[in-house]
Amino acid sequence: MKIKHRYLMLIGGLAIFAGCQNNKSVPAEKVITAAEIKKYISALANDSMMGRKPFTAGEDKAIKYISEQFKKAGLEPGNNGSYFQDVPMVQITSTPSPVMEITGGKTPMSLHATTDFVTFSRREVDSVTLKNSPLVFAGYGVVAPEYHWNDYAGLDVKGKTVVVLVNDPGFKNGDPTFFKGDTMTYYGRWTYKYEEAARQGAAGVLIIHQKEPASYGWEVVSNSNTGAKLYLQQKDKHMNRCKVEGWITEDMGKKLLAEAGITGDFRALARKKDFKAIPLKQSVTLTITNQLKYSTSHNVIGTLKGSSQPNEYVLYTAHWDHLGIGKPDAKGDSIYNGAVDNADGVAAIISVAKAFSKAKEKPKRSIVFLAVTAEEQGLLGSEYYATHPIYPVNKTVADLNMDALGDYGETKDIAVTGKGQNELEDYVDEIAKAQGLTTVGDRHPGSGSYYRSDHFNFAKVGVPALDINNGSISVIHDGSYGEARQKDYGDNRYHQQADNYTDTMDATGMAQIANILYEAGTKLSNETTFPGWKKGSEFKAIRDKSMK
């Protein structure tokens, strides 16, 4: 293992440096079994849970079950005597006007809702309107001081609507040292682009969708951004956000830019180091009406108190929610049971909790198990905990996340999401090596997978966060088996009614990941040092600041 980061720690008023404990890892007994994990999946993915959607009776059933299992596993209530943390949310159903009007160019443009654009508003008001809001092409919409990059330099966007590109300037640039090359940084995520446009004071922000740099098609954008959406309640009722957030298709984006004389490879234009935002000399008009509903969802939290360092915490996370009940599919099934996504992750953390409780030697640090709500709505439960932590983030050693574990058996390779981010992967490397396994990074690094599950919200506040899964090389099947099963899940079960539990489900790979993370957590829980972020990570400075 590489030497871990040394943090200045204060003990008894004296400043000392805590160094790495370079003890050799010994492969742990595989204490977590596939049968145990399947038992919990079968309950969580049962039709009686109604698809585990927040704000429904399915939520009530799911969180009651999880809290009962935490109690049976020997965990104390994690929130001042309660197993629950309230997560206040608002449901906003945004309905845009059927047509978005673009005027001021040679040819007025009329964009049609869902076909050409999707828009919504987080503002907790009955309606918002953009009336002849001037359009500005702001490249990738990125302000990244560490890369000496600012698409908003010298630009006043108050009252204006910015048009930006998906992903970041490094994608397909050909230089792996420019941003992170084809590996997406957080600056490439659409969530960041909305946040930055709001910080700049823009009235609206529209992302030009392109399939390759986004890693998904327009149908995903359209399906995910229409209808009711959940957000965390904010004191300012989200009035700090842009009036309008949304996407337009690549075809509409090309026409819009062409009206302003921008043709050819506009991505290459926007990644030039001397790029300056370009006023499009066109304006947009659009109204969005909102329906609002306020309610409270819940995170579930249990804690195993540490024996000698109880005020330092190793955190395990998994999201309990899924999509609830929708229209029946061709087989008449209307319940989105989410067996793989993410009943198996919750099953795994319950199993890990039991393993810690039964261990002969109790961990020195406290172990916290957090099943979060509303991941499917935008990582909301983990965001709420990270910004309203029950245990201090600068005393939280690490977050070990489990989401959609593979149901195709054990693999010879272990996939580390966002490989290269922090030193937690060094723990996994050591454990894997001891078991004759290899670790690999993202197969599609441009998709920004590291920013798509709950561990990301802990990264945003500086906590080293890890998400691993089974690779693609099956232990017992031929070389193409793992990839074929991954593709089958993505094509035929992911976010579909077919993501169901069956008795024939192969949970050995799930147990493999759970055992690795149990061993990693055991090691972390018995150290005095804190793992850090690797050089070049966009989260390193946040952690360094919080630890001083």
Side-chain angles (χ1 to χ4, degrees):
M1 179 181 292
K2 295 179 181 178
I3 300 298
K4 293 193 287 296
H5 190 75
R6 298 174 184 267
Y7 281 114
L8 185 64
M9 303 181 71
L10 296 174
I11 300 179
L14 298 176
I16 65 172
F17 279 96
C20 174
Q21 294 158 5
N22 213 4
N23 50 311
K24 186 75 174 176
S25 175
V26 177
E29 178 187 357
K30 294 182 178 181
V31 296
I32 298 164
T33 67
E36 180 179 30
I37 287 177
K38 286 177 67 173
K39 177 181 70 173
Y40 298 126
I41 298 174
S42 67
L44 287 162
N46 190 277
D47 281 356
S48 65
M49 293 288 181
M50 303 165 62
R52 306 190 308 277
K53 188 173 183 179
F55 288 11
T56 70
E59 166 171 358
D60 298 337
K61 292 173 180 286
I63 65 173
K64 181 176 185 290
Y65 176 81
I66 297 166
S67 64
E68 289 172 347
Q69 300 311 311
F70 279 0
K71 185 175 182 179
K72 288 179 181 178
L75 303 184
E76 299 176 2
N79 184 18
N80 298 311
S82 174
Y83 284 107
F84 305 113
Q85 180 187 36
D86 289 351
V87 182
M89 294 193 288
V90 56
Q91 177 179 285
I92 304 179
T93 305
S94 290
T95 304
S97 42
V99 175
M100 176 192 291
E101 299 289 355
I102 309 290
T103 57
K106 295 177 182 179
T107 307
M109 296 173 60
S110 296
L111 280 62
H112 298 277
T114 68
T115 304
D116 301 322
F117 76 91
V118 292
T119 53
F120 48 90
S121 181
R122 297 172 194 251
R123 294 192 176 190
E124 296 170 43
V125 293
D126 292 336
S127 66
V128 295
T129 297
L130 296 176
K131 181 68 174 177
N132 294 322
S133 174
L135 290 163
V136 181
F137 178 49
Y140 290 89
V142 168
V143 178
E146 67 272 38
Y147 296 112
H148 308 290
W149 195 271
N150 187 351
D151 285 323
Y152 287 94
L155 184 61
D156 180 3
V157 294
K158 289 181 174 59
K160 301 174 183 177
T161 296
V162 292
V163 178
V164 298
L165 303 175
V166 74
N167 216 306
D168 62 46
F171 185 74
K172 298 302 179 186
N173 177 64
D175 180 358
T177 66
F178 182 52
F179 280 71
K180 290 186 178 180
D182 288 347
T183 298
M184 184 190 286
T185 66
Y186 182 53
Y187 298 116
R189 286 288 286 153
W190 56 269
T191 49
Y192 165 80
K193 297 175 192 295
Y194 292 159
E195 292 165 0
E196 189 59 52
R199 281 191 287 268
Q200 297 293 330
V205 51
L206 298 172
I207 300 173
I208 298 176
H209 174 72
Q210 292 177 289
K211 185 173 182 178
E212 184 184 21
S215 80
Y216 44 78
W218 178 254
E219 68 280 357
V220 174
V221 176
S222 180
N223 292 340
S224 301
N225 293 285
T226 54
K229 292 171 67 69
L230 294 178
Y231 306 99
L232 296 179
Q233 291 181 30
Q234 303 291 350
K235 288 182 179 179
D236 73 345
K237 296 187 177 294
H238 293 95
M239 296 302 288
N240 67 327
R241 299 298 293 238
C242 298
K243 286 183 178 180
V244 172
E245 300 173 352
W247 302 71
I248 59 176
T249 64
E250 182 174 7
D251 285 345
M252 290 299 107
K254 287 179 177 179
K255 290 179 181 178
L256 180 66
L257 296 181
E259 281 289 316
I262 303 171
T263 57
D265 189 349
F266 47 79
R267 297 189 67 84
L269 170 67
R271 73 167 69 101
K272 289 183 177 179
K273 292 187 178 181
D274 61 352
F275 172 80
K276 299 294 182 185
I278 303 171
L280 296 179
K281 299 180 180 179
Q282 299 169 83
S283 299
V284 58
T285 296
L286 176 76
T287 294
I288 295 175
T289 58
N290 286 334
Q291 289 182 323
L292 309 175
K293 176 185 176 182
Y294 294 89
S295 192
T296 300
S297 188
H298 305 85
N299 292 332
V300 189
I301 184 166
T303 303
L304 186 66
K305 191 173 182 179
S307 60
S308 61
Q309 297 154 244
N311 295 325
E312 295 175 353
Y313 309 92
V314 176
L315 178 64
Y316 285 87
T317 54
H319 73 90
W320 59 256
D321 67 298
H322 201 53
L323 303 178
I325 299 175
K327 294 180 180 180
D329 63 10
K331 297 181 179 179
D333 186 359
S334 61
I335 302 177
Y336 292 80
N337 287 310
V340 169
D341 185 17
N342 185 38
D344 66 7
V346 177
I349 67 168
I350 295 171
S351 299
V352 171
K354 284 180 64 177
F356 271 109
S357 293
K358 291 180 178 179
K360 293 180 180 178
E361 292 187 20
K362 298 304 179 187
K364 294 178 180 178
R365 286 168 161 162
S366 295
I367 314 294
V368 180
F369 298 88
L370 180 65
V372 295
T373 182
E375 188 269 355
E376 303 292 2
Q377 302 292 328
L379 318 183
L380 300 184
S382 56
E383 179 185 348
Y384 188 82
Y385 181 92
T387 55
H388 301 77
I390 295 169
Y391 304 109
V393 293
N394 66 347
K395 294 293 184 181
T396 301
V397 177
D399 171 50
L400 308 176
N401 187 60
M402 285 180 263
D403 190 0
L405 306 180
D407 64 342
Y408 47 91
E410 291 187 85
T411 54
K412 298 176 184 178
D413 53 338
I414 303 300
V416 179
T417 308
K419 190 172 175 63
Q421 279 282 6
N422 61 59
E423 293 167 345
L424 293 175
E425 66 190 55
D426 299 340
Y427 290 74
V428 176
D429 285 341
E430 186 177 38
I431 295 165
K433 185 177 181 181
Q435 297 180 17
L437 308 173
T438 59
T439 57
V440 296
D442 298 338
R443 292 179 60 218
H444 305 288
S447 66
S449 297
Y450 191 74
Y451 316 107
R452 292 186 176 187
S453 191
D454 292 299
H455 59 280
F456 169 55
N457 279 319
F458 295 95
K460 284 179 76 173
V461 295
V463 177
L466 177 73
D467 183 80
I468 67 171
N469 211 321
N470 303 99
S472 59
I473 305 173
S474 172
V475 168
I476 60 174
H477 296 281
D478 63 55
S480 62
Y481 179 81
E483 283 193 26
R485 287 298 303 273
Q486 289 173 342
K487 186 176 186 304
D488 173 71
Y489 178 76
D491 291 347
N492 301 312
R493 288 181 290 151
Y494 173 66
H495 282 197
Q496 298 181 53
Q497 298 92 325
D499 188 2
N500 291 316
Y501 170 81
T502 65
D503 289 337
T504 58
M505 174 182 283
D506 188 345
T508 56
M510 302 171 190
Q512 180 183 36
I513 296 300
N515 277 299
I516 289 172
L517 289 182
Y518 170 61
E519 185 173 351
T522 299
K523 183 172 176 61
L524 287 162
S525 70
N526 290 309
E527 294 181 332
T528 58
T529 52
F530 284 64
W533 294 93
K534 296 193 174 184
K535 184 178 179 181
S537 171
E538 57 266 53
F539 309 109
K540 186 177 186 302
I542 304 169
R543 184 64 160 183
D544 290 348
K545 182 179 180 180
S546 73
M547 296 297 288
K548 287 181 180 177

